[in-house]
Amino acid sequence: MKTCKEVHRLVIEGQDRQLSRMERISVRIHLMMCGACRRFEAQMGFLRQALRRFPGD
Amino acid sequence: MNGANSTGDAVRDPAFETELQHLRPTLLRFALLHLRDEQSAEDVVQDTFLAALQGRGKFAGRAQLKTWLVAILRNKIVDRIRQRGREAPLPGLDEDEGDADAFDALFAADGHWQEKPAAWGNPEASLQQSRFYDVLELCMKALPENLCRVFTMREILEMETEEICKELQISTSNCWVVLYRARMRLRECLQLRWFGEGVPAE
């Protein structure tokens, strides 16, 4: 079972490299159970979305 | 005789040129964020205008003019970085950036969050406000230059990590660490300067 710290690291690395299958599965399982990490993942997704739209319409 | 030395600009279009002029400061700022050099920024914006005047027919109002110009500009900037990267590797990016545990403070010894991440609400609400992009730009500029450069290449210019490492002649693991740090700092800055105060309603 991965800790929040480990999952946070994988979530952030997943923005820049393809995670392995095992990594992806362990992240998924953790996120199902952890609201804090889910919010962190959402923040990373938001960042990407915002930067793709920068400097706005 | 209109002094045209390239194809496609035989017909002058003052209204269009005025619109371009109007967007010039925004484009310059965007270019400067990536290139950090006024002359290069001027050059790529000029190239973008030339391409826009030549490709006027292709535009035909399908997208917002600004969105279309930024897309062209982005390509010009990537080309410029590719030329430049081989000449001048990124300064000051070495092993001391490899301190990946700088964010240990976020977590307790048992690996749990010290302070749980906040909910950022409905992202669309933020993304539709122009003031949000000002804050985002401010936060990017607050990053140390090397972090900002790698990060904007990755996220705004949408270059692949592999290529960024190659262009800047840094190791892949170093590249990841830099991106990691940039993301964490940006997150912190947005939390503080945007979501911390007037969080848009969900």
Side-chain angles (χ1 to χ4, degrees):
Chain A
M1 204 39 221
K2 293 208 179 296
T3 64
C4 292
K5 186 179 171 181
E6 291 166 326
V7 167
H8 138 272
R9 171 121 210 165
L10 286 174
V11 165
I12 214 165
E13 281 188 19
Q15 303 279 310
D16 299 305
R17 70 173 173 95
Q18 174 82 44
L19 299 181
S20 74
R21 198 163 163 266
M22 273 317 289
E23 285 172 332
R24 286 202 304 275
I25 292 171
S26 57
V27 168
R28 276 289 129 227
I29 291 173
H30 182 99
L31 291 183
M32 283 194 303
M33 295 180 298
C34 176
C37 287
R38 269 205 304 279
R39 280 201 293 278
F40 180 75
E41 192 207 25
Q43 290 180 348
M44 288 300 112
F46 170 82
L47 264 187
R48 171 148 290 170
Q49 225 187 324
L51 290 154
R52 299 257 145 119
R53 285 218 219 162
F54 181 81
D57 295 324
Chain B
M1 166 139 151
N2 58 14
N5 55 8
S6 47
T7 53
D9 62 350
V11 183
R12 295 193 58 107
D13 183 346
F16 186 63
E17 284 170 29
T18 307
E19 278 186 80
L20 292 185
Q21 271 307 322
H22 182 66
L23 288 166
R24 191 166 168 275
T26 310
L27 298 177
L28 262 181
R29 253 171 58 207
F30 184 86
L32 201 57
L33 178 72
H34 296 289
L35 297 171
R36 306 236 168 185
D37 159 33
E38 305 233 354
Q39 189 55 53
S40 306
E42 282 285 351
D43 289 350
V44 288
V45 170
Q46 264 182 40
D47 289 350
T48 300
F49 282 177
L50 185 63
L53 288 168
Q54 288 173 338
R56 172 109 175 81
K58 276 182 267 165
F59 170 56
R62 269 173 314 192
Q64 288 242 32
L65 180 59
K66 182 172 162 190
T67 310
W68 184 61
L69 289 175
V70 168
I72 299 174
L73 179 59
R74 207 182 271 143
N75 288 328
K76 304 278 176 204
I77 294 171
V78 172
D79 288 345
R80 178 62 63 121
I81 288 174
R82 282 179 182 146
Q83 287 166 11
R84 195 157 89 163
R86 281 183 286 272
E87 296 157 20
L90 198 63
L93 242 199
D94 43 47
E95 300 74 45
D96 67 332
E97 294 288 348
D99 174 20
D101 288 329
F103 292 96
D104 264 1
L106 285 171
F107 297 92
D110 65 358
H112 282 96
W113 291 93
Q114 293 274 30
E115 192 182 329
K116 293 189 175 173
W120 279 2
N122 173 12
E124 269 309 307
S126 293
L127 295 175
Q128 274 165 16
Q129 296 180 57
S130 62
R131 208 172 65 81
F132 169 76
Y133 296 96
D134 295 339
V135 174
L136 184 61
E137 185 173 355
L138 199 96
C139 287
M140 279 192 276
K141 283 189 176 152
L143 293 172
E145 178 169 350
N146 51 15
L147 257 62
C148 180
R149 194 157 156 212
V150 176
F151 184 70
T152 54
M153 283 167 92
R154 174 76 185 117
E155 287 299 321
I156 299 184
L157 303 178
E158 299 183 33
M159 294 169 76
E160 288 301 327
T161 319
E162 298 295 315
E163 192 191 4
I164 299 170
C165 306
K166 217 177 84 205
E167 290 297 338
L168 299 175
Q169 301 170 36
I170 53 180
S171 71
T172 314
S173 61
N174 210 335
C175 212
W176 284 336
V177 173
V178 170
L179 288 166
Y180 174 86
R181 292 184 145 207
R183 288 183 203 287
M184 292 310 281
R185 287 197 190 209
L186 210 56
R187 165 185 180 265
E188 209 177 279
C189 182
L190 284 179
Q191 176 68 53
L192 206 70
R193 290 176 182 267
W194 180 258
F195 293 101
E197 38 174 72
V199 189
E202 221 168 310

